[in-house]
Amino acid sequence: MDINFNKNEDHNKLLLSDLKHKLTKVKLGGGKSKIEKQHAKGKMTARERIDYLLDSNTDAIEIAAFAGEGMYKEHGGCPSGGVVVKIGYVQGKQCIVVANDATVKAGAWFPITGKKNLRAQEIAIENKLPIIYLVDSAGVYLPMQDEIFPDKEHFGRIFRNNAVMSSMGITQISAIMGSCVAGGAYLPIMSDEALIVDKTASIFLAGSYLVKAAIGESIDNETLGGATTHCEISGVTDYKAKDDADALDKIKKIVAKIGDFDKAGFNRIEPKKPKLDPKDIYGILPKSRSDQYDMLEIIKRLVDDSEFEEYKEGYGKTIITGYARINGWAVGIVANQRKLVKTKKGEMQFGGVIYNDSADKSTRFIANCNQKKIPLVFLQDVTGFMVGSKSEHSGIIKDGAKMVNAVSNSVVPKFTIVIGNSYGAGNYAMCGKAYDPRLIAAWPSAELAVMSGNSAAKVLMQIEKASLLKKGEEIDEKKEKELFNKVKARYDEQISPYYAASRIWTDGVIDPLDTRKWISMGIEAANHAPIEKPFNLGVIQV
């Protein structure tokens, strides 16, 4: 091992340690005291409920664990968006589970809570995956109601999705395990089956105080909307449970009887581990985002038996395309090559940049994968498309548009892993969030932005400098440097993978060694949803 390998390994393991520290903090939700209060009421926490429900010793992935990270500080924060979402197995069946975290503002819905719930439903809809809601929420967070209540992608969209999923035949099961009030009451009751926990759970459109204020009626919450009321009088709920564990056991019994699903038919054989050690990734991936490295060496540590059949190996070398298997599943990989490459014409091309030939090759490969019903995996470390007169005269916009067209119209499931840079139009062409990847995750080394921190800081600094000069302020070298560092620090915060994850631009920040699990479970989920339309590129410039 060379000295650079060791330096890279130390750096990436520090990033991984930071990731684990952040996850540990996030998993505390509203804090230890709030967890103790939940237990004192005889209730499990959101994470405890999910752990109890999911099959033991099986894989699970958490969606948007960092939602809300660093946001809403003036409101006390909203760890994990106040809701926990996991894809895992219940009685051997893959499901997505959504659990309100009552330790965070009593499970109230912040704007990011709504976005995260909608993302969970989107995953269920795209993959026709059963969804289980564990409801324990005080409803909309009133101080921010204008940002969560009225718009198309706000709170009301949740119930619209309940109805759409029901019409699609997607199983929805809800357990009311605490508060369930106002408009939020529709979510569990628009599910196929609803359970309610006796004494600790209640559901109503208006609580006792509001009822008293509105119509003058005096009634306690248990009589108004407790388990006995809704299981024996109103018929709103289907099952009464004596406590949290009993409710979760009933869900397991319901799920165990669900029939098999129609499969998309993606190819899978017996899985094999990579022949080359995946832990080498920590040493291969450079400390600096501008340094070059061979993406093939990363790929060989992600795929089964380290076998990769490269497509058009000698052409369009700044993007690697080819076939492999991940945990037995056949995949087509589109990855940015990050080392300087030489064309047959003797020209040098920069790693991480998309040139005409690499865009052309990718378009063709994506079409081939759609033709053969092979899921696509995008490994992003891209600075953008090549610029300059030579590229413009060669039609880089046209070739880039073809690639974007192919990614947009792809009908096979797509999965995106942001390994390093994810800048500008490169993010789009390599299947960024706007292009509907079934799952998109980032490594701790990732950076998502219009351009790099240095480039953006230089541009923004020039704008600020010009503004100050107009005001008659003198800018010496020291002040210019201070201004640059201030702008760069602000921009660097925004390109962090955690900034992206907090806003659900990605589904999470993950250990590189978990990449195979994410892709494999993602394809397994996608296999629930047969492809219903043919691949068609539409009109493209040739």
Side-chain angles (χ1 to χ4, degrees):
M1 298 294 179
D2 62 25
I3 189 69
N4 283 332
F5 185 98
N6 293 332
K7 286 180 178 178
N8 294 339
E9 186 176 43
D10 289 344
H11 173 73
N12 286 309
K13 285 188 174 179
L14 280 172
L15 292 180
L16 181 61
S17 176
D18 186 45
L19 167 62
K20 290 178 178 177
H21 175 74
K22 288 178 182 291
L23 280 171
T24 299
K25 186 178 178 182
V26 157
K27 288 177 181 178
L28 288 174
K32 290 181 180 178
S33 63
K34 297 289 179 64
I35 291 172
E36 288 168 3
K37 285 182 180 179
Q38 190 88 339
H39 289 161
K41 295 175 183 176
K43 297 163 68 175
M44 299 178 184
T45 66
R47 292 183 180 277
E48 289 168 346
R49 287 165 176 167
I50 292 178
D51 288 345
Y52 186 95
L53 181 63
L54 296 181
D55 298 345
S56 57
N57 301 317
T58 58
D59 284 338
I61 58 176
E62 183 169 353
I63 303 298
F66 292 110
E69 176 84 358
M71 299 168 68
Y72 314 120
K73 291 178 182 177
E74 67 276 23
H75 296 280
C78 187
S80 216
V83 61
V84 183
V85 176
K86 287 191 179 184
I87 300 175
Y89 302 91
V90 178
Q91 299 296 291
K93 290 182 171 61
Q94 195 178 40
C95 302
I96 185 162
V97 186
V98 181
N100 299 114
D101 187 349
T103 70
V104 180
K105 291 286 192 298
W109 288 55
F110 283 69
I112 199 66
T113 316
K115 187 172 183 179
K116 186 169 176 178
N117 275 268
L118 288 170
R119 176 60 180 144
Q121 290 185 323
E122 180 182 42
I123 291 170
I125 290 168
E126 286 181 329
N127 299 291
K128 292 186 167 62
L129 208 59
I131 185 167
I132 298 166
Y133 307 99
L134 307 180
V135 183
D136 194 345
S137 171
V140 166
Y141 183 61
L142 291 178
M144 301 187 75
Q145 64 86 25
D146 61 321
E147 296 180 50
I148 181 63
F149 170 67
D151 209 347
K152 181 179 177 181
E153 299 301 326
H154 284 178
F155 194 54
R157 189 77 171 181
I158 303 289
F159 318 127
R160 175 264 185 195
N161 286 350
N162 288 140
V164 168
M165 283 190 279
S166 183
S167 72
M168 293 173 67
I170 297 170
T171 298
Q172 299 177 83
I173 301 167
S174 288
I176 303 153
M177 310 182 82
S179 297
C180 185
V181 300
Y186 288 106
L187 184 147
I189 308 312
M190 292 186 74
S191 299
D192 303 330
E193 294 182 89
L195 305 85
I196 186 168
V197 179
D198 196 21
K199 300 296 186 284
T200 57
S202 57
I203 177 170
F204 33 62
L205 294 180
S208 56
Y209 292 130
L210 186 54
V211 168
K212 177 68 174 176
I215 63 172
E217 181 184 1
S218 296
I219 189 170
D220 64 273
N221 282 338
E222 180 64 26
T223 307
L224 181 67
T228 298
T229 295
H230 286 310
C231 286
E232 299 177 20
I233 300 173
S234 72
V236 165
T237 51
D238 306 310
Y239 307 93
K240 184 197 286 189
K242 62 182 180 181
D243 54 26
D244 282 9
D246 186 38
L248 297 169
D249 286 336
K250 288 180 187 297
I251 291 174
K252 291 180 185 182
K253 291 175 183 177
I254 294 168
V255 173
K257 296 175 180 65
I258 297 173
D260 202 1
F261 55 90
D262 295 333
K263 296 175 178 62
F266 302 122
N267 185 287
R268 192 182 198 187
I269 62 173
E270 189 67 27
K272 292 182 181 179
K273 292 181 179 179
K275 192 176 288 182
L276 299 177
D277 189 354
K279 291 179 182 176
D280 290 346
I281 289 171
Y282 301 131
I284 295 167
L285 196 65
K287 179 179 179 180
S288 170
R289 291 276 34 86
S290 60
D291 284 355
Q292 304 276 295
Y293 65 96
D294 189 351
M295 180 63 84
L296 269 172
E297 294 304 317
I298 300 287
I299 292 171
K300 288 175 183 176
R301 287 158 176 83
L302 292 176
V303 301
D304 289 16
D305 212 28
S306 298
E307 287 187 354
F308 181 67
E309 304 157 41
E310 194 165 352
Y311 173 83
K312 288 186 181 288
E313 181 179 353
Y315 177 73
K317 292 183 179 181
T318 64
I319 289 185
I320 299 168
T321 53
Y323 303 104
R325 289 188 182 274
I326 292 178
N327 203 28
W329 295 103
V331 296
I333 294 176
V334 181
N336 301 111
Q337 176 57 287
R338 277 307 313 267
K339 69 177 184 179
L340 199 66
V341 298
K342 191 174 184 179
T343 68
K344 290 294 183 183
K345 296 177 181 178
E347 299 170 335
M348 299 306 295
Q349 294 183 339
F350 296 102
V353 179
I354 303 175
Y355 290 78
N356 298 72
D357 53 359
S358 48
D360 178 64
K361 175 174 82 171
S362 300
T363 302
R364 175 88 177 180
F365 180 72
I366 291 166
N368 276 337
C369 287
N370 276 271
Q371 183 84 347
K372 294 195 281 285
K373 204 159 74 171
I374 299 173
L376 285 159
V377 174
F378 293 83
L379 303 179
Q380 286 194 8
D381 195 344
V382 58
T383 52
F385 285 88
M386 191 57 190
V387 297
S389 60
K390 185 176 179 182
S391 290
E392 296 295 356
H393 296 169
S394 299
I396 187 65
I397 298 173
K398 177 180 66 176
D399 289 325
K402 284 193 291 187
M403 184 176 175
V404 170
N405 195 317
V407 172
S408 303
N409 286 300
S410 180
V411 296
V412 295
K414 299 166 293 195
F415 302 89
T416 302
I417 305 295
V418 186
I419 289 175
N421 303 327
S422 180
Y423 298 154
N427 169 282
Y428 302 158
M430 291 295 295
C431 198
K433 182 66 183 289
Y435 292 81
D436 297 324
R438 297 294 177 98
L439 293 173
I440 176 171
W443 289 0
S445 48
E447 293 184 355
L448 290 85
V450 172
M451 61 183 77
S452 71
N454 272 326
S455 299
K458 286 175 185 176
V459 173
L460 293 169
M461 188 198 69
Q462 291 303 319
I463 294 170
E464 290 204 24
K465 184 179 174 183
S467 176
L468 291 171
L469 287 170
K470 276 184 181 180
K471 295 175 183 176
E473 294 186 33
E474 290 293 322
I475 307 293
D476 58 21
E477 189 176 328
K478 182 183 177 184
K479 192 164 185 179
E480 186 172 319
K481 188 175 181 180
E482 287 176 356
L483 188 58
F484 174 83
N485 289 336
K486 179 184 174 184
V487 172
K488 187 175 184 301
R490 187 173 68 225
Y491 196 85
D492 282 346
E493 180 187 353
Q494 294 179 358
I495 67 177
S496 157
Y498 298 102
Y499 190 91
S502 71
R503 288 149 181 82
I504 320 184
W505 300 344
T506 66
D507 291 316
V509 183
I510 66 170
D511 183 344
L513 301 189
D514 285 334
T515 302
R516 282 170 54 84
K517 177 173 73 174
W518 271 68
I519 294 171
S520 176
M521 288 189 69
I523 297 174
E524 184 179 349
N527 205 36
H528 286 70
I531 296 170
E532 296 174 348
K533 64 177 183 177
F535 175 65
N536 187 340
L537 272 179
V539 178
I540 58 171
Q541 291 272 14
V542 294

